[in-house]
Structure formats: structure tokens, C-alpha cells
């Protein structure tokens, strides 16, 4: 089973237009795996199910189905405290540096937050660090994943992906067969829909921005634009946390690289060094 070249080309163009994410040849398997559940919802089966589904979407006047296709292809895997080191850096360096510059409420932006594990992990890290005056704005392009993030309801399988047992007990409570976020954690976070191709969301200037595992999907020009807009939404001296495979090299030299114990983060010039 494999999608046709026509189907892949149409979906790749659609996703690029609405999100700037590049689906290069070789990603046909991703298009097929992400769209097959949508095709089955429509009663389409067999080797050409995805091709038939996309053909119907192209003919349909229902623009909502186009949104579902884009969201299916732009939703990424996530887990609690993913990659560990960014949260160590937040606890040991970034949060103390932000607090030294801002005695008021720290403002954190978790961009492309998916189903919410990252912003909840950020909030838990800060609460465990004794921080109480902070707010986290969590955004994503997909309204579907934001609905789950906002609800704060997770299955046992989702909870098993990286969440320490002590934090499970402290910040979550049983909700049917799964778990729900307790109010202490929930009230620290606001969720909102946002496209990184647009100006940054309201809520800044931000002291810390997590923009992890997102830039790898964009071309160099789009990365540069996103980083420039993000920087303008941050305080002088604020910190940016990227994914482990992401770098400013050859993209944007307007940031200061700050080595940490397990990697590095980036800093907006200015503020208190």
C-alpha cells in the first residue's frame, strides 16, 4: 500500500501552504499513516483508501476536511520531560537567570505544544523549583491537540512516557481509566491556537521560550523569519530553548549561545548577563 505521486504532491503543497512545513519525497509513508485513519472514518478501505480520501477532499466544499488533513500531518509525537536536558537547563540556569532579571511574573511560551506534555512539564519543573509567580502560554497550530492539552486528560499509556512517579502523585488524579491534571498545575497554563508563520501571540514579552523540535521541518528562510519574530516577542536577556537537533548556525546570528551542563540554550542580547 502506498499513496500515489499525485496524492503526495497535493498533500505536500497543502501542508506547505498552511504551515510552511516541508514534506519531501520519501515521506509518502507519513502521509499514508497519518491520513489512513481519516480515510477509514469515511468508510474507505483497501490499498487505495488514502488516494480515494484525498480525491474526495479535493472535490468537497467542506474546508474543514482540509484543516483535518493539515492537522494530521503537523501533529508531532511528544512525551513528558522529553529529552530531559532542556528541563535540567530550565531548573539550573534559565529560570534563575529569568528571575534575576524579572522580579514579577515570569512569562513562558511553549510553542508547538502538541497535546500538552511540554507545557505541563515546564510548569512542574518550575513548581518543583519553588517558583510560584509564573505563567505558561502554550500554543499549537492544531485545534485537535489543543483540545486534549486543555482538557488535561491522559491515558495510562501516555502517563507512562517519561513522567516520574512522584510527579504523577503530586500533580495528577485519577479520571476514569486515565489521569487528569490537578488544578494547581492546570491554572498555571493558558492554551491558544497559533501558527508560527504569523506574528507571536499576545502575552509577552516572554522571559523564556521553548521552540523545540519544530524548526527542523522548515526551510532556512522560514526558520530565519520565525526566529526573528520570536526574538522580538522576548525580553532582553530572555532565553530560547531549541530541540537537540536544532541550531542557529547559518540561520540567525543575533542570539548569544549559552552553554549549560547538558547542552546549550540561546539568549537575546541585553539584560543582565
Amino acid at each position: 500500500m502506498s499513496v500515489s505521486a499525485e496524492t503526495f504532491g497535493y498533500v505536500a503543497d497543502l501542508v506547505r501552504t498552511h504551515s510552511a512545513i516541508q514534506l519531501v519525497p520519501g515521506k509518502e509513508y507519513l502521509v499514508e499513516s497519518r491520513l489512513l485513519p481519516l480515510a477509514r472514518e469515511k468508510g474507505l478501505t483497501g490499498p487505495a483508501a488514502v488516494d480515494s480520501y484525498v480525491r474526495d477532499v479535493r472535490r468537497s466544499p467542506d474546508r474543514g476536511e482540509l484543516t483535518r488533513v493539515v492537522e494530521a500531518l503537523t501533529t508531532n509525537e511528544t512525551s513528558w520531560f522529553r529529552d530531559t536536558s532542556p528541563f535540567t537547563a530550565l531548573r539550573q540556569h534559565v529560570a534563575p537567570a529569568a528571575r534575576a532579571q524579572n522580579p514579577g511574573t515570569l512569562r513562558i511560551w511553549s510553542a508547538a505544544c502538541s497535546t500538552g506534555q511540554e507545557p505541563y512539564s515546564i510548569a512542574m519543573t518550575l513548581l518543583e523549583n519553588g517558583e510560584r509567580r509564573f505563567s505558561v502560554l502554550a500554543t499549537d497550530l492544531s485545534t485537535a491537540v489543543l483540545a486534549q492539552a486543555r482538557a488535561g486528560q491522559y491515558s495510562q499509556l501516555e502517563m507512562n512516557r517519561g513522567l516520574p512517579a512522584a510527579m504523577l502523585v503530586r500533580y495528577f488524579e485519577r479520571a476514569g481509566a486515565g489521569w487528569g491534571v490537578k488544578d494547581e498545575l492546570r491554572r498555571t497554563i493558558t492554551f491558544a491556537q497559533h501558527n508560527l508563520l504569523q506574528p507571536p501571540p499576545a502575552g509577552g514579552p516572554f522571559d523564556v521560550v521553548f521552540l523545540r523540535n519544530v524548526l527542523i521541518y522548515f526551510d532556512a528562510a522560514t526558520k530565519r523569519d520565525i526566529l526573528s519574530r520570536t526574538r522580538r516577542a522576548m525580553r532582553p536577556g530572555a532565553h530560547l530553548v531549541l530541540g537537540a537537533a536544532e541550531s542557529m548556525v547559518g540561520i540567525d546570528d543575533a542570539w548569544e549561545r549559552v552553554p549549560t551542563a547538558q547542552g546549550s540554550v540561546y539568549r537575546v542580547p541585553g539584560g543582565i548577563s
Side-chain angles (χ1 to χ4, degrees):
M1 184 184 295
S2 179
V3 298
S4 68
E6 181 181 1
T7 291
F8 179 76
Y10 172 77
V11 171
D13 286 344
L14 181 68
V15 171
R16 182 169 57 251
T17 299
H18 288 272
S19 71
I21 288 177
Q22 308 289 312
L23 292 176
V24 298
K27 294 290 186 178
E28 289 84 356
Y29 72 93
L30 181 64
V31 170
E32 183 175 46
S33 64
R34 294 290 181 87
L35 297 188
L36 188 57
L38 300 185
R40 287 173 174 165
E41 284 182 19
K42 301 294 184 180
L44 299 170
T45 59
V50 172
D51 288 327
S52 297
Y53 169 70
V54 171
R55 188 162 51 247
D56 290 346
V57 168
R58 297 178 70 173
R59 295 171 178 167
S60 173
D62 180 8
R63 299 296 89 181
E65 206 64 34
L66 290 177
T67 299
R68 295 188 73 201
V69 171
V70 173
E71 290 191 349
L73 269 300
T74 56
T75 300
N76 301 310
E77 287 294 312
T78 188
S79 59
W80 307 99
F81 300 96
R82 183 178 180 182
D83 301 329
T84 306
S85 59
F87 300 96
T88 301
L90 175 64
R91 183 179 69 252
Q92 295 181 348
H93 177 84
V94 174
R99 176 52 72 204
Q101 296 196 105
N102 178 12
T105 299
L106 298 181
R107 300 176 185 271
I108 298 96
W109 176 21
S110 171
C113 71
S114 190
T115 47
Q117 283 89 333
E118 178 177 273
Y120 286 125
S121 296
I122 292 170
M124 284 187 281
T125 299
L126 294 173
L127 289 170
E128 291 293 296
N129 222 33
E131 193 59 68
R132 291 297 180 269
R133 290 175 297 161
F134 70 90
S135 64
V136 180
L137 174 64
T139 65
D140 201 277
L141 176 66
S142 170
T143 55
V145 299
L146 282 172
Q148 180 180 350
R150 191 176 286 112
Q153 302 286 321
Y154 298 96
S155 68
Q156 185 64 59
L157 180 62
E158 290 170 317
M159 300 302 285
N160 289 344
R161 298 189 64 193
L163 184 67
M167 291 192 181
L168 170 63
V169 173
R170 191 170 301 134
Y171 297 109
F172 295 84
E173 57 193 2
R174 275 291 185 183
W179 297 84
V181 175
K182 289 182 179 179
D183 286 344
E184 178 191 8
L185 182 59
R186 185 191 303 275
R187 62 174 171 255
T188 65
I189 303 174
T190 300
F191 293 95
Q193 197 274 342
H194 178 256
N195 187 332
L196 287 169
L197 301 183
Q198 299 171 346
F206 297 102
D207 299 281
V208 183
V209 175
F210 274 59
L211 184 65
R212 302 177 61 222
N213 307 306
V214 182
L215 295 180
I216 54 175
Y217 297 104
F218 300 120
D219 60 27
T222 305
K223 290 178 183 178
R224 193 173 298 113
D225 288 344
I226 291 172
L227 288 168
S228 177
R229 286 193 295 272
T230 300
R231 189 174 64 253
R232 292 196 296 271
M234 299 169 68
R235 293 182 188 275
H239 289 80
L240 175 70
V241 182
L242 299 180
E246 296 168 322
S247 169
M248 298 287 189
V249 177
I251 302 296
D252 190 343
D253 60 3
W255 302 79
E256 297 176 355
R257 181 177 175 273
V258 181
T260 64
Q262 295 176 294
S264 62
V265 296
Y266 294 88
R267 182 177 179 273
V268 179
I272 302 171
S273 299

